[in-house]
Each structure stands twice: as C-alpha cells, then as structure tokens.
Amino acid sequence: MSLQIEQIILHQLIRKSESEIEVVLRDSVLENHQVVTDLVADINRVYSNKAKAYGLFHENSLFETSVKELKLGNQDFLNFSQQSVKQLRNELAKYPFAEGGAVIFCLYRYLAVEYLLIAVLNSCHSMLVNDKLEINQTQYLDIDHADIIARIDITEWQTEPDSKRYLTFLKGRVGRKVSDFFMDYLGASEGLNAKNQNKNLVQAVDDYCQEIQLDKQEKKAVREQVYGYCKGQLEAGEEIKLSNLAKELPASDDNDFTSFVAGQNYDLDEEFPVDRSTLRQLKKFSGSGGGLTINFDSDLLGERIRWDAQTDTLVIKGLPPNLRDQLQRNNQ
C-alpha cells in the first residue's frame, strides 16, 4: 500500500453540557498495526471522495506555529496532539451543536506526499451476532458520514509558501456551520475557490465559442468535449490543466483558448480541482425559485424545449409520463 503512517494518536472529546466539553487524553501514540492502517486508509478514501474547500493559515495561526515546532523537532507528536486537542475543545465549546467525538491526529505519507490529518469522528451504536448466535450491542466509528476533517499537505506547505490550497477541509452539512469552528481552531481562511474556478471555466468556454463564431452544433460539441475532459480528470483523481484542455479545443487562425483566456479577466489558475456539480452546467440547464425547479439536458433546448426570450417562457413538448399522470389526476 502507498499509504505510510508516520505517527498517529487519538483523543476523546465528550460534551457534558451546553458549554462544557471534557477532554480525555491518550498518553502514548498508537502502534502502527493493520487495524490502524485500515482506519487511516478508510478516512483517506472517504475524505478524497467528498467535496472540499481549500485554505491557508493566517499569519498569527497558533496551529501553524505548533506544526512548525513539530516539524522542527522542538516538540514531539504526543505533546503536539494533546495541546492541539485542548485548543479544539475551546473552539467546540462555543458551538452547542458540536457533539465532540474521537479526535484523530495522523501524520502520514500517501503517493510521496506528506500529510497531517485531523478528524473528529462520531461513534454509532449497532448490533452484532456472536458465534453463539447471541445479539450484542457494539459501537463503531462513523467514518462514512464524517463532516469534520481537515488535511494539511505538509509537502506543499513547506515548499510553496505562496500556495492558497495546501489546507483542505470539509465544509459540513447544509445549515450547520461545522467548518466555522474548525477554521478558527486551525487559524485559517478559505483560499482557492474551486467552485468559482469551475464557473469561470464554463463561462470562458461559452465566450470562446462565441468569439471564434462556432455554430450551435459546434458549440455543443465543444461543451461535450470540455465536459468529457474534466470528467476524465475527476475520475483519474487529477486536476484541470488549462494548457492540456486548450489542446483539445478548436482554434481560429488568430486565436486559441489559451491566448483567449489570458487576454480576458476570468481569474483562472493554470491548474485547479474539478467541481462536479458546477461542470454539469456544460450538459444541463437548471434553476429554481418561486416554488419552481427546472432541470433538463442541454441537448433538448431548441428541440423538445424552446425558450421565448420576449415573453420569458419555456415551451416543453413531450412531458415525462409521471409528471403527465400527476397533472391528469389533478385535473379530474
């Protein structure tokens, strides 16, 4: 396995009241055996498959200072984690919805990159049947539904001080400011905005198609080509590279996608992560508001679906059968 654990430890945060959280500290690091490796591999897998935000440390980040001391050898991993989890407790106490859990600190290498991972995992109750066919209650760490995880790319942090993306974190569930206390605890702020980068890319592609005067079918083909490239990058775990994407797009005698983007104010980085939901705009039209939600494949526009810009109306030919059935029942 390409994942190599260097140091790992866990502590426990237990909420006692609305304003009090107890810290249970472990007094030694965990031994690096198969169960521990499997745990980190599962967290890494779940984390890699979830949508993340990108950030960087503030100048006065206490957490960053602690990481520097750790990497310089001025404090050991045990002391670093104990002090750090106490700081996390202080931030958690400000948010009554935060329930605590098992806090895992792990320094590991994956694909030749060194990472520091911090995760807060809840425990869930379940049932098991033993070899005597008796039912017993057990607990397990709910890794699949974890929403409090941050990871620092130590390699990038040390080698690219101007980077705005060496820190990644989950933004949490809708309606809960899960990421707020975590960012305060880390002393960090959001850096690269991957969703905006992808939105700007979609806009740049549409503008470029207009600039080089592609017809409707040609524009459709370009959008599908861009979507296919980005989807392929996402599935391969790679990022969008503008220079590579530009090679796959048509060019006019005096213009290509690279020079077009460079001459406009799209604020696109040369490389940035794929945002799956944003790139769906290349294949679909969607919108909601005023109790109405509309979502359809872009191929249908001009065929089964026509838009009248003068009256701001859509005409749909051939309704989905289940929608037609509902309308017929309502009309009886």
Side-chain angles (χ1 to χ4, degrees), residues 28-68:
S28 63
V29 297
L30 290 167
E31 294 183 10
N32 189 4
H33 50 71
Q34 189 60 48
V35 174
V36 171
T37 301
D38 290 345
L39 169 66
V40 177
D42 280 349
I43 297 174
N44 187 69
R45 171 186 55 79
V46 170
Y47 186 68
S48 297
N49 290 333
K50 289 194 175 187
K52 293 173 285 295
Y54 298 77
L56 67 162
F57 292 122
H58 297 151
E59 289 184 6
N60 58 349
S61 169
L62 293 177
F63 186 86
E64 183 183 29
T65 300
S66 296
V67 176
K68 286 180 179 177

Side-chain angles (χ1 to χ4, degrees), residues 2-8 40 44 57 67-68 70-73 77 80 106-118 150-159 165-168:
S2 56
L3 191 151
Q4 299 176 329
I5 297 174
E6 297 178 357
Q7 300 262 32
I8 182 170
V40 177
N44 187 69
F57 292 122
V67 176
K68 286 180 179 177
L70 174 66
K71 296 305 295 177
L72 288 171
F77 191 74
F80 160 77
C106 183
L107 196 62
Y108 69 100
R109 289 187 176 274
Y110 182 67
L111 300 177
V113 177
E114 185 177 28
Y115 294 103
L116 173 62
L117 178 86
I118 308 99
R151 188 173 70 179
I152 297 96
D153 184 328
I154 298 294
T155 302
E156 184 170 334
W157 170 68
Q158 290 181 318
T159 59
R165 50 189 292 177
Y166 53 75
L167 188 155
T168 59

Side-chain angles (χ1 to χ4, degrees), residues 175-191:
R176 295 182 62 185
K177 297 182 179 180
V178 174
S179 63
D180 289 0
F181 68 82
F182 220 40
M183 295 302 281
D184 289 341
Y185 152 66
L186 294 170
S189 58
E190 189 167 349

